[in-house]
């Protein structure tokens, strides 16, 4: 398979279970080169599991996931070289400086010594941390840590950037600054971005296309505008009138089953986005803080 | 699924002049391949370990307290009462290499807890998404443990010298000490990372870590000659890599009769087996 014409990500029939619990259940996903693709869904929908499968962290059978035409099961190393990954937790090493954090990733991605320093500086500047790179990451704010992680992922010039809730636990200003950097980097490097978020505003404004997941399955796919107009059509069919133009949040509620159409499943939803997820989110928010 | 038309994305539309700020971030670095990968990753991990120690040296000092107490209290007392036959060697001299080995082992055993902590914090997860084979990642951690243990060993050697233990300053022998400490620490850190890969949580590992370090220490020749032990303990000591470490360190540092060749062979084999075992269990931590 050639890499030139291949989509950034092609995922066909991805399933993954933790014991008996199906976290992802037959997911198909096609992400084109250069787009910012948002993966949405309630807590426990399977977004992180999907990303961990793409990043080769979870074992998947051959033929299920292709990154620029490279099979994530057969050619793990080739796939990893194409990826930049920022996990859901804040993952910078607090006992190293900003620069050392990025240097480590330059080293493990085999950046030659002669261009290492310049490349690390450029990655740090690209996220606006050049001036504080000498400080320990433990002194960084949550937004700075997120940007540092972007720099870590950026230093190897990835073609597909995978960001798992890059704005989790951040204040509105820090959120904007993280997203502004993502947008700039994407424009400057042409890389593809696969991102998850719980903020419908961010999804609406910053993503080219969205996939909405629920209970491990794909529920809706399209541009934010398409998703909203689809909901208008649904409402018209079911005779609901007098409602104002739907927001992306309405779309989210509709497809996540806690809307009018599917009242029975609310308890099950909350069950799934259970303790584990909430605890993890809280820990993320409090770490390095 | 792909029935939905793809929206045109702005990036392709606004392709103006290339952005100079990203000039170096456009081409992926040339991949290292083959045998060069492992030494490169080991170097990267060791550099990180040194950087961490440079930022925070308190661990070196706090970890020096325990070996100092062993030498000053246990060692000095037992040399007075001449309770342990050491074949003519002063007991303090006999003990010092044992304590070096012990403090290096304590550091290495801590690496299992550290790797779980790094898993929980996402640091390990991210390293596992780099082009680093699991064995290279484990080898990197193992040798980083070795670097730290060598620094610790140097501190204990200085303490021992200060209280009058007559040790060699022959650079070749000291180099031998470095090799022995690195290999042994690589084994013990891999042992603890393997257990981490089996038990998966920090709480369980802490319990097991404590439960194995002291027995490993007592079932070795660190405190007393093997000949003094009951038969069953001698058998345990014979399969305990710590005994081979202590034997080699004694031979190198205070010149007692040692089986250096055998010691090095056993330690090298143990380190290698440890890296393979921990490397194959590491994936469990990613799930
Ligand atoms: N390591 C694990 N062991 C067992 N179950 C897990 C594990 N990781 C995730 N799960 C379960 O798999 C399901 C999907 O989880 P996942 O983390 O992918 O959801 P998510 O969409 O990322 O949610 P969130 O928005 O809260 O991050 C959940 O029910 C979760 O409890
Ligand atoms: Mg998640």
């Amino acid at each position: 398979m050639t890499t030139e014409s291949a989509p950034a990500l092609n995922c066909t029939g991805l399933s993954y279970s933790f014991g008996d619990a199906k976290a992802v259940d037959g997911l198909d996903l096609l992400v084109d080169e250069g787009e910012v693709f948002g993966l949405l869904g309630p807590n426990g929908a399977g977004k992180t599991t999907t990303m961990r499968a793409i990043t080769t962290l979870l074992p998947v059978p051959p033929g299920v996931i292709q990154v620029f035409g490279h099979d994530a099961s057969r050619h793990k190393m080739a796939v990893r070289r194409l990826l930049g990954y920022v996990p859901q937790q804040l993952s910078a090493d607090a006992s190293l400086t900003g620069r050392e954090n990025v240097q480590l990733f330059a080293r493990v991605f085999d950046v030659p010594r002669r261009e290492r320093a310049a490349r690390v500086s450029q990655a740090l500047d690209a996220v606006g941390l050049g001036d504080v790179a000498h400080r320990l990451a433990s002194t960084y704010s949550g937004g700075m840590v997120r940007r540092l992680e972007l720099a870590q992922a950026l230093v190897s010039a990835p073609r597909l950037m995978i960001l798992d809730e890059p704005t989790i636990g951040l204040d509105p200003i820090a959120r904007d600054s993280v997203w502004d950097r993502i947008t700039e980097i994407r424009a400057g490097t042409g890389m593809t971005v696969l991102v998850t978020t719980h903020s419908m505003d961010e999804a609406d404004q910053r993503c080219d296309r969205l996939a909405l997941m629920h209970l491990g399955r794909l529920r809706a796919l399209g541009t934010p505008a398409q998703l909203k107009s689809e909901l208008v059509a649904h409402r018209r069919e079911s005779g609901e009138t007098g409602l104002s133009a739907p927001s992306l949040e309405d779309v989210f509620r509709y497809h996540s089953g806690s809307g009018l159409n599917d009242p029975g499943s609310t308890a099950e939803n909350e069950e799934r986005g259970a303790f584990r997820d909430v605890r993890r989110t809280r820990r993320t928010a409090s770490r390095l803080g | 699924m792909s029935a939905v038309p793809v929206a045109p994305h702005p990036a392709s539309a606004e392709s103006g002049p290339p952005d100079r700020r990203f000039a170096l971030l456009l081409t992926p670095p040339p991949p290292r391949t083959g045998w060069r990968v492992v030494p490169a990753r080991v170097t990267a991990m060791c550099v990180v370990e040194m950087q961490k120690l440079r930022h925070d040296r308190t661990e070196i000092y706090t970890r020096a307290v325990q070996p100092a107490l062993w030498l000053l209290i246990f060692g000095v007392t037992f040399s007075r009462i001449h309770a342990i036959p050491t074949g003519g060697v002063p007991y303090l001299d006999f003990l010092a290499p044992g304590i070096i080995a012990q403090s290096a082992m304590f550091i290495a055993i801590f690496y299992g807890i550290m790797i779980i902590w790094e898993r929980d914090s996402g640091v390990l997860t991210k390293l596992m998404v780099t082009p680093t084979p699991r064995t290279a990642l484990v080898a990197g951690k193992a040798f980083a443990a070795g670097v730290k243990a060598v620094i610790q060993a140097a501190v204990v050697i200085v303490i021992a010298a200060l209280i009058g233990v007559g040790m060699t300053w022959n650079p070749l022998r000291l180099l031998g000490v470095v090799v022995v400490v690195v290999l042994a620490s690589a084994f013990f850190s891999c042992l603890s990372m393997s257990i981490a890969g089996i038990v998966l949580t920090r709480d369980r590992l802490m319990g097991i870590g404590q439960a194995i370090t002291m027995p490993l220490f007592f079932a070795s020749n660190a405190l007393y000659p093997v000949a003094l032990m009951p038969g069953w303990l001698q058998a345990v000591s014979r399969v305990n890599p710590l005994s081979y470490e202590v034997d080699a360190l004694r031979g190198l540092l205070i010149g007692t009769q040692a089986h250096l060749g055998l010691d090095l062979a056993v330690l090298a084999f143990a380190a290698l087996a440890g890296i393979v075992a921990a490397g194959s269990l590491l994936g469990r931590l990613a799930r």
Side-chain angles (χ1 to χ4, degrees), chain A:
Chain A
M1 193 183 270
T2 61
T3 45
E4 288 318 310
S5 59
L9 172 69
N10 187 358
C11 177
T12 39
L14 170 66
S15 293
Y16 196 88
S17 302
F18 294 100
D20 291 337
K22 266 206 146 98
V24 182
D25 190 4
L27 180 73
D28 295 330
L29 219 52
L30 200 73
V31 177
D32 290 295
E33 178 154 19
E35 67 179 334
V36 177
F37 191 98
L39 201 53
L40 307 181
N43 291 131
K47 306 179 295 294
T48 298
T49 308
T50 303
M51 287 188 158
R52 280 152 50 82
I54 298 166
T55 55
T56 75
L57 282 167
L58 300 175
V60 291
V64 172
I65 293 173
Q66 261 106 36
V67 177
F68 290 101
H70 296 277
D71 191 287
S73 166
R74 290 207 195 88
H75 307 291
K76 286 198 175 69
M77 293 301 153
V79 167
R80 290 182 195 169
R81 284 190 186 279
L82 294 166
L83 295 180
Y85 175 48
V86 177
Q88 191 165 341
Q89 314 100 296
L90 295 183
S91 62
D93 199 322
S95 50
L96 295 175
T97 66
R99 182 175 303 277
E100 287 163 351
N101 264 296
V102 181
Q103 266 169 358
L104 169 62
F105 279 77
R107 282 205 178 87
V108 295
F109 273 96
D110 301 321
V111 174
R113 187 202 299 262
R114 70 194 125 75
E115 64 175 78
R116 204 181 292 143
R119 211 170 165 124
V120 167
S121 296
Q122 204 159 74
L124 284 160
D125 289 337
V127 298
L129 290 178
D131 296 335
V132 292
H134 62 281
R135 271 168 45 188
L136 286 179
S138 55
T139 68
Y140 284 14
S141 69
M144 289 161 82
V145 172
R146 267 313 194 211
R147 285 187 277 135
L148 176 59
E149 296 183 77
L150 278 179
Q152 287 182 293
L154 197 60
V155 78
S156 57
R159 288 177 66 195
L160 174 60
M161 185 70 105
I162 298 187
L163 309 172
D164 200 348
E165 299 194 31
T167 55
I168 192 170
L170 302 188
D171 67 58
I173 298 166
R175 278 167 183 258
D176 279 347
S177 114
V178 166
W179 268 111
D180 289 345
R181 298 305 174 171
I182 296 172
T183 310
E184 271 173 37
I185 291 164
R186 204 270 302 241
T189 64
M191 69 177 63
T192 312
V193 179
L194 175 65
V195 60
T196 66
T197 177
H198 283 301
S199 157
M200 294 306 122
D201 287 342
E202 291 173 8
D204 204 352
Q205 288 158 25
R206 308 280 188 165
C207 296
D208 301 321
R209 278 202 308 152
L210 300 170
L212 221 147
M213 282 179 82
H214 184 44
L215 301 176
R217 297 213 180 95
L218 189 67
R219 286 300 177 91
L221 180 74
T223 65
Q226 283 169 340
L227 293 180
K228 282 184 272 191
S229 60
E230 266 170 31
L231 182 59
V232 172
H234 277 298
R235 281 178 174 173
R236 201 176 300 130
E237 272 165 34
S238 55
E240 293 168 44
T241 47
L243 290 167
S244 57
S247 66
L248 198 57
E249 195 170 319
D250 296 324
V251 176
F252 183 91
R253 282 181 200 284
Y254 176 83
H255 289 289
S256 303
S258 45
L260 301 168
N261 284 41
D262 203 0
S265 65
T266 314
E268 191 205 348
N269 290 338
E270 296 195 357
E271 178 81 20
R272 273 186 64 96
F275 182 66
R276 193 192 149 83
D277 307 288
V278 176
R279 189 184 52 183
R280 205 191 280 164
T281 308
R282 292 222 179 117
R283 189 164 56 209
T284 306
S286 68
R287 230 177 57 82
L288 289 164

Side-chain angles (χ1 to χ4, degrees), chain B residues 143 146 150 172-186 245 248-249 252 264 267-268 271:
Chain B
F143 283 96
V150 165
L172 261 182
R173 281 170 174 265
L174 289 181
L175 189 68
V177 169
V178 169
V179 173
V180 167
V181 169
V182 166
L183 286 177
S185 307
E245 180 182 9
L249 291 180
L252 288 164
L264 279 171
L267 290 174

